[in-house]
Amino acid sequence: DIVMTQSPFSLAVSEGEMVTINCKSSQSLLSSGNQKNYLAWYQQKPGQSPKLLIYYASTRQSGVPDRFIGSGSGTDFTLTISDVQAEDLADYYCLQHYSYPLTFGSGTKLEIK
Amino acid sequence: QVQLTESGPGLVHPSETLSLTCTVSGFSLTGYSVYWVRQPSGKGLEWMGRMRYNGDTSYNSALKSRLSISRDTSKNQVFLKMNSLQTDDTGTYYCTRDNVAPFAYWGQGTLVTVSS
């Protein structure tokens, strides 16, 4: 199974600041066939179901604000949230969908100061 | 529009079997795969298994011995059965569907409590 190591466990920032969440996979998520990285990011607000933010490591889901940016390749990935808003208070998870079983990172809790 | 709705008993006693239903609308089960994901209370997300569009299934190896996923395409329903429940199976169970990306659509989740 591919192990997803996500960091940090939590972070607290003020509105307008930038945050970076990291996800490292135990093996490469880059497909040699189509050069796509099979890594997705999800946001889960309190009391809600998760919501897809980013897929193929850097493709933003329709309707997701452009302050959410995904980057990285191979085994190292980053979700950057620029100009954090109060509404971004949530847990964030990475997911590898390169191979089964699909595996999530352990999550990052974003708090707003 | 695409909708998924989970339903289930809410409370299950230890050692008993959990039965959940995911009722979908806005798409056909023969065109898309449906997945089950769970979230133990206060913890992270865990992929449990999937019902592929062609009727094949695959399971998380950690749960495989206890888990079964089936479907009734005529009723637009996918079923999850998991036996030998324990207290650490308590949590919210979601069904979800992919689009281009995995887990693009989610149900609202159903809370399952394992308690005597």
Side-chain angles (χ1 to χ4, degrees), chain B residues 75-107:
Chain B
K75 293 184 178 179
N76 294 318
Q77 293 180 325
V78 178
F79 308 105
L80 177 148
K81 288 189 187 301
M82 189 163 70
N83 59 32
S84 304
L85 252 62
Q86 300 302 320
T87 55
D88 58 3
D89 293 312
T90 292
T92 300
Y93 288 70
Y94 298 96
C95 58
T96 171
R97 199 208 89 177
D98 54 10
N99 198 17
V100 174
F103 311 157
Y105 301 95
W106 294 72

Side-chain angles (χ1 to χ4, degrees), chain A residues 76-103:
Chain A
D76 292 279
F77 301 91
T78 299
L79 174 68
T80 300
I81 311 173
S82 61
D83 189 24
V84 168
Q85 302 296 302
E87 68 202 48
D88 299 333
L89 167 74
D91 294 328
Y92 293 84
Y93 295 91
C94 60
L95 166 80
Q96 69 80 16
H97 54 113
Y98 182 85
S99 68
Y100 283 85
L102 307 185
T103 45

Side-chain angles (χ1 to χ4, degrees), chain A residues 1 40 42 44 48-52 54-56 61 91 93 95 97 100-106, chain B residues 35 37 39 43-47 50 58-61 94 99-104 106-109:
Chain A
D1 298 4
Y42 297 83
Q44 186 178 30
Q48 295 186 16
S49 303
K51 171 189 171 183
L52 175 66
I54 304 281
Y55 59 97
Y56 291 146
Q61 174 73 334
D91 294 328
Y93 295 91
L95 166 80
H97 54 113
Y100 283 85
L102 307 185
T103 45
F104 288 92
S106 54
Chain B
Y35 306 76
V37 173
Q39 185 168 36
K43 296 187 178 180
L45 301 166
E46 179 182 35
W47 174 76
R50 70 168 173 173
S58 56
Y59 302 104
N60 186 325
S61 55
Y94 298 96
N99 198 17
V100 174
F103 311 157
W106 294 72
Q108 83 287 354

